[in-house]
C-alpha cells in the first residue's frame, strides 16, 4: 500500500477562505479549540498558539447564540478563515454564516436531514462560496442506520446528507467519517472514497490521550493517506490542542506528504553518553513550525550515531565527555557535552538559512 | 491491507526461555533497559517496572566484560529470560551465554561475518537451545552493502548473517531489520518476509521522542502487522522505557492482535464539562497491565458521550454538575463530577472481577 502513495485520490476542490481542500491541494492540518467560544480572549490565545506550530484551519464550536456572536468577534479579530461546528440547529448554522464562518461543519446524526431545512442553507452557502463539511461520527450515528455494520452505516449516513446538500445546489462539500476504532475508520473511509468525489476530512474520533491517540490516529490515517485517501486531517487528542497539530504534521511527514524537521533519536541504552531525550525534545519544539525538509539525528553513542549522522543534515553522536557533530554527512567537530545544545542550535539556524537562500537562488 | 489481518505469516518458532516467538505464538512485546548493565539495582528496578506493565522480553546491553558479569547477577536475581545485546565481540557473546542469556542479539554491521567465528557460537547456542537475533540497523549497515538501495541493503545484510548461522547448525534464528524511515522500514521487512521463514522482530530504529516515535512506529508497525508480518515487537522511544511497552501494547490492541483496556476519550471542546484528559490518563495507567478486553469511554459531553457509552463496557458522558455513567450500554446513574474518578474506579474493578469470574466459570 505504501508504494502507491503518489496516487492521490482525485476529488473536487473547495475553498475555506484562502485554504484549498482537495483537487490536488496540499493536505491541510486542522484543529479545534477547546476553549469556550464565548471566551474570546481564551480562543484568540489558542488560535495564536495553533498558528505558531503551523495549523492551517481552526474550528470552533457554536452550541448557542452567544457562541455565534463570539465567533464573529473572533473571526474579525484574527482575520483567519474559521470553521463553525454546528449541532442540532439550522438556525445556528445561519448565524455562523452571519458571523463570517468560512466553512460549516454539521453532523447529520444530530440534525434533521430534511430537504426543506437543507435547501435554504445550501443555497445561501453556495452564494457565499462557503463549503459544508458533513461530519459523521461513530458516537452519534442516526438511529435509522442502526441495523447496518458500523462502516456501512457511517458511509450511508454521510453520503445521504452530502447528496441532499448537493441536490439543493451546493457543490462545495467536504465529507468526514470518524469512528473511534482505527480499523473501522479505515474501512468506512475506503467505502466512502470509492463512491464519491468529495474531498475527505479524515481523523479518528475519540482517539484518546496523547499516547493512545497518536497510536490510533497514526495507524488509521497512515493506512488511508498511504492509499491516497484524505485531503485534510485532524488528529483528535485528549490534551493540549497544539499536540494535535504536531501529531498531524508528523504523520504527514512520515508519509512524505509534507516537509519539516525530522528529529531522529535513539531509545537510549547502557551505551548512552548524553541527554538524548532532552536534546531531541528541545530541537523538536524549536523546529515545530519549520516547513523546510531537514533531518537531524541525536544519538547517544557512536555505535549507530556516526552512521545515522552520515545520513542526516545535522547529526550528533554522544561521546564520553565530548560528542561528535556531523553536517551533511561529514564530521565537523567535537563539542563538550555541556555545550551541545547551543552548538546544535547554531548549526540548525545556519543550515536553515543556507537552505532558504538556496531556494531563493534557484 | 487491514482486512487480511488474520493471515499471519507462517514462520518457524523459537523459544526465549518460556516465551515463544513465531509459529503462531502471541506477538510478544520487548523493551531494552537504558540503565547501565553494571548498575544491577538500577536494572532490576527497571525490569520490575517493565514487568508491571506487561513487557514479555527484556534486553540488556553487554558492551564489556563487567556488563556480562552483571548480566549474570541480574538474570539470577530476576529469574526472567533476558536477552543480551552484543556488538563487536564474539567473546562477549560467549560470556553472555555463560551468564545465562536466553537469547543473543547481534548486529552484523558491527561483527565480522566470518564463518570461523560464527560456527562455534552457533553450535553452542544450538546445544543450549538459545536463539540468536540477527538485528540489522539502518545506522550501522556493513559498508559492503553501501551500493544498494537501503531496503535491499538491509535485507541482504540480515539474510547473509542469518544464513551463516543456519549453515553453522543453529535453527533458532530471529531476524530484525530496522530503518529509521518508517516507509523504508516497511519495504525492507516486506522483502525480508518474502524470502525466509525466520520469525521477525519488528521496530523502527531511532524513532525519536514519545511524540515522533509513536507516530513513526504506529505507521510502520501498523502496516506490517496488518499484513501479518511481525512476531515480536519493540517500539523504540527516546523516553522512559515503560512508554515503549504501553505503546507496543496499544499498537497491537488497535490492530486487534492483543486484548487490553481501550480508553476512548474525546479531544474536548467548548462543550466539555469534565476533566476528560485527567480521567482518561488515570484510567489508562491504572489499567495498563490488564489483558482483559474492556472498552471504557470518557467523553466530555452528552452529545457523543451517550452514543459512545452505549458501545462501551463502561462509559461516562460529562454533564454540567453531574455526569452520566453507563455500563454495558445502559445508563446506570448520575454522579457528581467531583466524585467521578472513585465511582469509575469502583465500576472498572467490579467489571474486571465479573469478567474473570465469568471466565473461570466457563
Amino acid at each position: 500500500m505504501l508504494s502507491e502513495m503518489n496516487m492521490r485520490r482525485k476529488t473536487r476542490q473547495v475553498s475555506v477562505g484562502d485554504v484549498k481542500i482537495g483537487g490536488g491541494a496540499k493536505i491541510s492540518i486542522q484543529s479545534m479549540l477547546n476553549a469556550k467560544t464565548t471566551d474570546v480572549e481564551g480562543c484568540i490565545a489558542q488560535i495564536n498558539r495553533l498558528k505558531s506550530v503551523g495549523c492551517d484551519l481552526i474550528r470552533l464550536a457554536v452550541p448557542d447564540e452567544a457562541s455565534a456572536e463570539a465567533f464573529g468577534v473572533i473571526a474579525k479579530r484574527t482575520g483567519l478563515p474559521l470553521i463553525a461546528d454546528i449541532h442540532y440547529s439550522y438556525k445556528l448554522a445561519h448565524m455562523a454564516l452571519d458571523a463570517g464562518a468560512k466553512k460549516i461543519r454539521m453532523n447529520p446524526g444530530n440534525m434533521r436531514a430534511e430537504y426543506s431545512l437543507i435547501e435554504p442553507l445550501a443555497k445561501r452557502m453556495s452564494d457565499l462560496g462557503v463549503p459544508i463539511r458533513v461530519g459523521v461520527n461513530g458516537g452519534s450515528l442516526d438511529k435509522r442506520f442502526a441495523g447496518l455494520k458500523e462502516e456501512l452505516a457511517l458511509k450511508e449516513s454521510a453520503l445521504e446528507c452530502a447528496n441532499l446538500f448537493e441536490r439543493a445546489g451546493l457543490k462545495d462539500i467536504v465529507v468526514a467519517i470518524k469512528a473511534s476504532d482505527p480499523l473501522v475508520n479505515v474501512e468506512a473511509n475506503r467505502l466512502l472514497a470509492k463512491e464519491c468525489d468529495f474531498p475527505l476530512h479524515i481523523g479518528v474520533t475519540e482517539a484518546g490521550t496523547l499516547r493512545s491517540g497518536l497510536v490510533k490516529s497514526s495507524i488509521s490515517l497512515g493506512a488511508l493517506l498511504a492509499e491516497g485517501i484524505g485531503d485534510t486531517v485532524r488528529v483528535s487528542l485528549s490534551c493540549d490542542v497544539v499536540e494535535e497539530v504536531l501529531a498531524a504534521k508528523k504523520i504527514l511527514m512520515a508519509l512524505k506528504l509534507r516537509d519539516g524537521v525530522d528529529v531522529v533519536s535513539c531509545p537510549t541504552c547502557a551505551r548512552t553518553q548524553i541527554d538524548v531525550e532532552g536534546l531531541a525534545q528541545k530541537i523538536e519544539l524549536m523546529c515545530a513550525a519549520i516547513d523546510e525538509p531537514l533531518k537531524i539525528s541525536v544519538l547517544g553513542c557512536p555505535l549507530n550515531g556516526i552512521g545515522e549522522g552520515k545520513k542526516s543534515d545535522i547529526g550528533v553522536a554522544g561521546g564520553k565527555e565530548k560528542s561528535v557533530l556531523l553536517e551533511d554527512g561529514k564530521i565537523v567537530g567535537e563539542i563538550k557535552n555541556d555545550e551541545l545544545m547551543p552548538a546544535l542550535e547554531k548549526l540548525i539556524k545556519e543550515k536553515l538559512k543556507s537552505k532558504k537562500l538556496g531556494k531563493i537562488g534557484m
Side-chain angles (χ1 to χ4, degrees), chain A:
Chain A
M1 48 143 232
L2 290 154
S3 45
E4 293 151 24
M5 271 216 325
N6 295 322
M7 317 238 303
R8 283 200 39 211
R9 172 177 163 266
K10 295 208 186 333
T11 76
R12 66 182 78 180
Q13 189 170 70
V14 310
S15 299
V16 184
D18 52 6
V19 178
K20 310 275 184 209
I21 300 178
K26 185 180 82 168
I27 297 170
S28 48
I29 295 174
Q30 309 206 6
S31 184
M32 181 170 178
L33 300 194
N34 55 17
K36 305 247 180 258
T37 307
T38 47
D39 170 14
V40 172
E41 299 308 324
C43 286
I44 288 176
Q46 278 198 342
I47 289 171
N48 287 336
R49 291 179 60 233
L50 286 169
K51 272 177 65 183
S52 77
V53 289
C55 188
D56 300 306
L57 288 167
I58 295 169
R59 179 161 49 119
L60 290 82
V62 181
D64 50 37
E65 302 193 2
S67 297
E69 275 171 39
F71 186 100
V73 176
I74 297 164
K76 272 202 196 94
R77 275 189 47 193
T78 60
L80 279 180
L82 299 179
I83 304 168
D85 198 63
I86 306 287
H87 292 263
Y88 302 118
S89 160
Y90 284 87
K91 186 182 172 197
L92 286 174
H94 283 282
M95 287 186 73
L97 291 175
D98 295 338
K102 295 298 181 205
K103 184 179 171 193
I104 300 276
R105 181 256 168 145
M106 61 163 276
N107 182 342
N110 301 325
M111 307 281 277
R112 286 163 59 206
E114 276 188 33
Y115 195 74
S116 64
L117 293 166
I118 284 176
E119 194 183 23
L121 181 63
K123 287 221 185 323
R124 187 175 171 207
M125 290 177 76
S126 181
D127 290 343
L128 290 168
V130 170
I132 193 148
R133 169 162 72 97
V134 173
V136 179
N137 194 303
S140 53
L141 201 54
D142 190 312
K143 285 186 196 87
R144 290 180 298 123
F145 302 99
L148 298 172
K149 266 184 77 176
E150 191 180 2
E151 44 268 49
L152 267 177
L154 289 162
K155 188 260 294 176
E156 287 299 327
S157 170
L159 279 184
E160 179 192 79
C161 182
N163 290 335
L164 277 176
F165 270 92
E166 186 159 46
R167 219 175 87 206
L170 182 63
K171 298 283 171 208
D172 300 330
I173 299 171
V174 176
V175 181
I177 286 178
K178 298 188 186 179
S180 65
D181 181 314
L183 302 187
V184 171
N185 202 56
V186 170
E187 282 305 328
N189 276 286
R190 278 182 182 154
L191 293 174
L192 177 64
K194 269 186 213 149
E195 292 193 22
C196 66
D197 78 330
F198 301 124
L200 301 188
H201 165 129
I202 57 172
V204 174
T205 190
E206 289 113 31
T209 59
L210 183 65
R211 212 182 270 127
S212 178
L214 285 182
V215 168
K216 289 182 186 175
S217 301
S218 302
I219 288 177
S220 200
L221 303 193
L224 289 169
L225 290 166
E227 293 175 21
I229 298 172
D231 302 285
T232 181
V233 166
R234 185 203 176 183
V235 175
S236 298
L237 296 172
S238 306
C239 65
D240 182 14
V241 288
V242 160
E243 293 290 347
E244 299 194 341
V245 179
L246 298 179
K249 193 165 178 193
K250 281 187 190 302
I251 291 173
L252 293 172
M253 277 170 59
L255 292 159
K256 314 264 189 279
L257 292 164
R258 268 229 187 187
D259 284 327
V261 177
D262 183 24
V263 182
V264 165
S265 64
C266 69
T268 76
C269 72
R271 294 185 301 267
T272 303
Q273 306 285 352
I274 53 171
D275 175 18
V276 170
E277 183 181 2
L279 283 169
Q281 286 268 19
K282 274 184 205 157
I283 296 170
E284 199 168 82
L285 292 175
M286 186 177 103
C287 300
I290 294 169
D291 274 331
E292 295 293 313
L294 199 72
K295 185 174 167 190
I296 301 173
S297 63
V298 181
L299 272 77
C301 77
L303 189 70
N304 296 314
I306 304 288
E308 272 305 330
K310 285 188 177 170
K311 296 191 293 175
S312 306
D313 295 293
I314 291 170
V316 54
K320 259 186 187 154
E321 279 158 21
K322 289 180 171 182
S323 294
V324 173
L325 273 192
L326 298 101
E327 191 182 352
D328 299 327
K330 291 186 194 88
I331 294 173
V332 291
E334 274 197 310
I335 304 282
K336 279 189 193 162
N337 287 346
D338 54 7
E339 293 166 11
L340 258 182
M341 192 59 212
L344 270 169
E345 205 172 322
K346 192 164 161 259
L347 208 56
I348 293 167
K349 281 186 183 158
E350 285 170 4
K351 174 63 73 188
L352 287 170
K353 213 172 146 190
S354 74
K355 281 213 166 197
K356 280 196 182 149
L357 286 176
K359 267 200 175 171
I360 294 167
M362 280 197 308

